[in-house]
Amino acid sequence: MSAHTFEPVRSDTCTPSRAARELNFLRGEFDLAVQLGHVRTVPDEGGGGGRLVERAEIDRLRAQDGFPDTLRDRVRVVGTTDGAELMDISVGRFTRLARLGLLVPAKVYVNRYGSVVWLYLTEELKHFAAVTENTHLLKGRTPETLRGQLAEGVDLRARNWRMRQLGCLLRQAEDPWARAGALAALLPPVEVADVVEDPHERAWVNRLRPALPGQTLAGTSFAHVAERITTAQDADEIEWLRSDLAHSVEEARALSPAPRPAARRTGPAMRPTAQPIPPLARTVTARVEPTPVPVNPAGATDESMAGKAEPTTRAAESLMRVVEPRRIPGGRAPERRHVPRVRPAPGPVPRFPGTGPTPPRSTRRLRAWLRREAPRPTEV
């Protein structure tokens, strides 16, 4: 059977989509219920890396009183305007309380205009408004200390949202390596590389690093906004996450080392045998003799040279044929026939003993003499 054969989901578990339908949840409501811990999930043992819901968990939730309304009320969220109306305060006061970290957002998204929209649980807003200690925050003048923090530009909404997400990820982590991946999900890659120096351990941590909801915007025009929300920004937050990440990696390393690629088995390397260097031979540079320039031997005259060139002349005459002009009846001019000129074969070049190789002698005079002796056709 092939190794890629599909294995169906166990009968005692179901996929998140199936569980959302059986619990009368929208998919977004179901994901929020899982993050808040209202619905317990188990890891997918089939290797998909996702989460499954056991059938017993669905039966437990369906057996609660007031199902499904009570369960859906736990995950109902509202925006800033609806939240201020629910708490019977102004929108500005609601925003100030959220920036101070007194109201923790549960969900966040970026709309089509690039604005960040924070959503809050109605259950938590009702509880905050019902507590007597919070009455001075809802009515009257905001305390001086809180106004000073707002003047400095404090905004803890993104940080509180990240801490809520981290709590959900740590609840789902089942070993130290998974906890290290959850902590690394909130840190920049540079910080993770600085804490986890071993490349194999860092690769394993990044593999177990879960994706946060806002990180799905990567590659879009709002990616920088999502990165600012999902990544730790404050120095104290980064230092706290780095410390926890180093502790988790050290604990995981002691419990079970990170997987490493199998080492390749190679034979022993053949080392070349050292050979002695032979001594350098003595080199004698020979003296370069100048090339002699050929000159006419003493006593050689033009007559003697011409006599030696007679065989060459006779050979050239035997290769040439003179064509006489043929007279055409009627008094016309004689017809001229083109006869290709035959180049005379080069004759032997005289050599004189002791003079070395002699360059061939020019035949310019011979060609002039042949043209002078050849009869020319007569004109009529």
Side-chain angles (χ1 to χ4, degrees), residues 14-27 30 58 62 67:
C14 59
T15 61
S17 300
R18 178 65 180 274
R21 290 194 300 268
E22 294 194 11
L23 295 175
N24 295 330
F25 271 142
L26 298 177
R27 184 55 191 270
F30 176 81
I58 296 178
R62 293 176 64 92
F67 176 85

Side-chain angles (χ1 to χ4, degrees), residues 295-305 308 352:
V295 296
N296 290 337
T301 59
D302 293 340
E303 291 77 4
S304 61
M305 294 299 294
K308 292 182 178 294
F352 300 97

Side-chain angles (χ1 to χ4, degrees), residues 6 9 34 36 57 61 96-97 105 113 117 122 148 174 191 202 224 229 236 249 258 274 289-290 318 328 366-367:
F6 173 74
V9 181
V34 172
L36 298 175
E57 178 67 10
L61 295 174
R96 290 193 296 270
L97 294 177
Y113 303 106
V117 180
T122 57
E174 298 182 349
E191 301 292 343
R202 184 166 61 251
H224 65 285
I229 297 173
D236 58 337
V249 170
E289 297 291 342
S318 62
I328 300 176
L366 176 60
R367 289 198 302 269

Side-chain angles (χ1 to χ4, degrees), residues 257-309:
R260 298 175 179 271
R264 297 181 179 179
R265 296 183 178 180
T266 57
M270 300 297 295
R271 299 183 62 182
T273 305
Q275 299 292 338
I277 300 176
L280 297 177
R282 296 184 61 184
T283 304
V284 179
T285 305
R287 183 178 179 181
V288 180
E289 297 291 342
T291 304
V293 179
V295 296
N296 290 337
T301 59
D302 293 340
E303 291 77 4
S304 61
M305 294 299 294
K308 292 182 178 294

Side-chain angles (χ1 to χ4, degrees), residues 56-57 93 112 158 180 208 212 215 235 267 320 330-331 333 337:
E57 178 67 10
R93 184 181 290 269
R112 59 180 179 177
L208 300 176
L212 298 178
Q215 293 177 347
M320 297 184 64
R337 296 179 60 188

Side-chain angles (χ1 to χ4, degrees), residues 1-12:
M1 182 179 295
S2 174
H4 301 282
T5 302
F6 173 74
E7 296 183 1
V9 181
R10 298 179 304 173
S11 59
D12 57 343

